[in-house]
Amino acid sequence: MKKSIFEYMEEYGHEQLVFCRDEKAGLKAIIAIHNTTLGPATGGTRVWTYESEEDALVDALRLSQGMTYKYAAAGINLGGGKTTVIIKSPEQKGEQLFRALGRFIDNLNGRYITGEDVGVTVGDLEYINMETDLVVGLPAENGGSGGPSPYTAMGVIGGMKACCKEIYGNESLKGKRVAVQGVGNVGHDVVKYLVEDGADVVVADVDENRVKRAVEEFKVSAVGVDEIYSVDCDIFSPCALGATINDETIPKLKCKIVAGSANNQLKEARHGEVLGQKGILYAPDFIINAGGTIADTDQFEGGFCPERARKKVARVYDNVANVIEISKREGIPTYKAANRLAEERIRKIGEISKLRVKVPKKLARASE
Ligand code: NAD
């Protein structure tokens, strides 16, 4: 290991790491609890054939830290958490593995809530749910949102409108030319909403069937995957992979706004600055793509309510507008303003006097 466990925890600012092992189930998992100032640490479980334990550790640390920022900036009362599970082959996945993990999560007494991430299906979540209620993203019939993608797409549209208000003086998407990269779960719905709002949409996807589906369903045009960056447009919307905003692609961009669902859009943080220098407004990824997360966690308000979830997702517009405001006021790029928004909320809420102190167990027993 390049650093000790505690050095890693210090670097990322973690409260707690839980190492879980169940020999018979073949479970090797790391639950990373980053920050619980705002509420229980929440974030999905990622199951992956990690090359080393250190890779799994760093992934858990990095992703859980990201969740803290995402929830904080979205105004949700949850902290950041994440689980990584180390497997040798996908055959290891199954009821035994996920139920074993569920028992560990349940043992944390509400400090950590899990959900889906890479390598985990809704069916796997149902196995975890057999052992613990501390699961989000379950199917609608099990009290969940039924999938985050439509809500993520709604949030992206709200974020685009906030950017249009800043650049064009009004939030209308009518007549705006939008280049959507990736028409998968989220991208497809983004295109649907854009077309409903009267935008002129161009799409690209490595999967030809997905391109065909979008073109036929919404009568939009398509270009090749390398051409999408240089489309003359108002908004470039990355809805495929991360790191697509980089030294090679930025010179090609002919847009005024970058606003999409993909995680980690900037290859390096400095690319946020480069976009700004080019006069392109960047809607920070973890602010604009929070819609699904907002909807998924609505179940904690006494059961999932689609209407309430939609109302909450509509706040993505305000969050993006807020970030733009901070960026202008402080003279910093929007990606830095997004971090500031999250950090300020955690600091301010953390400062409130802790009047709801839990009675220590020993005292509680003494008064029985
Ligand atoms: P998805 O896998 O359903 O869709 C991604 C699409 O991008 C696919 O159709 C794929 O073929 C295409 N693609 C891959 N490489 C490409 C390339 N080089 N050029 C063009 N297209 C390419 O995934 P999704 O759930 O729609 O998520 C899209 C992005 O948004 C991901 O980065 C994801 O992490 C992020 N995100 C998703 C959600 C959600 O609610 N699903 C929430 C937050 C963030």
Side-chain angles (χ1 to χ4, degrees), residues 250-310:
I250 295 176
K252 296 183 190 170
L253 294 176
K254 295 198 188 91
C255 58
K256 292 255 184 301
I257 296 164
V258 171
S261 74
N263 279 315
N264 307 316
Q265 291 171 28
L266 304 175
K267 186 164 184 198
E268 294 166 40
R270 70 179 171 86
H271 291 120
E273 254 113 10
V274 184
L275 281 180
Q277 284 153 10
K278 224 186 145 180
I280 297 175
L281 175 60
Y282 168 61
D285 43 20
F286 72 86
I287 305 286
I288 194 171
N289 73 13
T293 309
I294 294 171
D296 267 356
T297 52
D298 179 74
Q299 71 184 63
F300 298 121
E301 310 231 1
F304 180 72
C305 165
E307 203 187 331
R308 185 178 53 215
R310 274 195 294 274

Side-chain angles (χ1 to χ4, degrees), residues 51-122:
E51 281 189 8
S52 70
E53 290 174 8
E54 189 168 12
D55 285 355
L57 171 66
V58 173
D59 220 17
L61 291 168
R62 189 177 60 82
L63 295 166
S64 54
Q65 184 192 48
M67 293 309 294
T68 295
Y69 278 75
K70 193 164 188 165
Y71 287 125
I76 299 174
N77 290 320
L78 290 172
K82 207 83 182 183
T83 299
T84 51
V85 178
I86 305 167
I87 52 166
K88 287 203 177 76
S89 78
E91 287 74 54
Q92 263 179 271
K93 288 194 258 182
E95 180 175 357
Q96 198 187 23
L97 183 93
F98 288 106
R99 290 187 66 167
L101 176 64
R103 289 188 188 182
F104 278 104
I105 292 171
D106 204 53
N107 257 296
L108 291 170
N109 287 320
R111 271 182 63 70
Y112 170 69
I113 298 164
T114 199
E116 236 182 285
D117 199 289
V118 177
V120 173
T121 64
V122 172

Side-chain angles (χ1 to χ4, degrees), residues 46 70 147-153 180-188 204-208 210-211 213 225-226 228-229 238-242 244 260-264 285 289-293 296:
R46 179 171 287 194
K70 193 164 188 165
S149 303
Y151 296 97
T152 303
V180 180
Q181 179 187 45
V183 277
N185 291 324
V186 181
H188 186 81
D205 197 297
V206 284
D207 183 337
E208 281 177 18
R210 290 196 160 167
V211 172
R213 182 179 66 157
V225 287
D226 294 330
I228 194 77
Y229 297 104
C239 296
L241 307 170
T244 54
S261 74
N263 279 315
N264 307 316
D285 43 20
N289 73 13
T293 309
D296 267 356

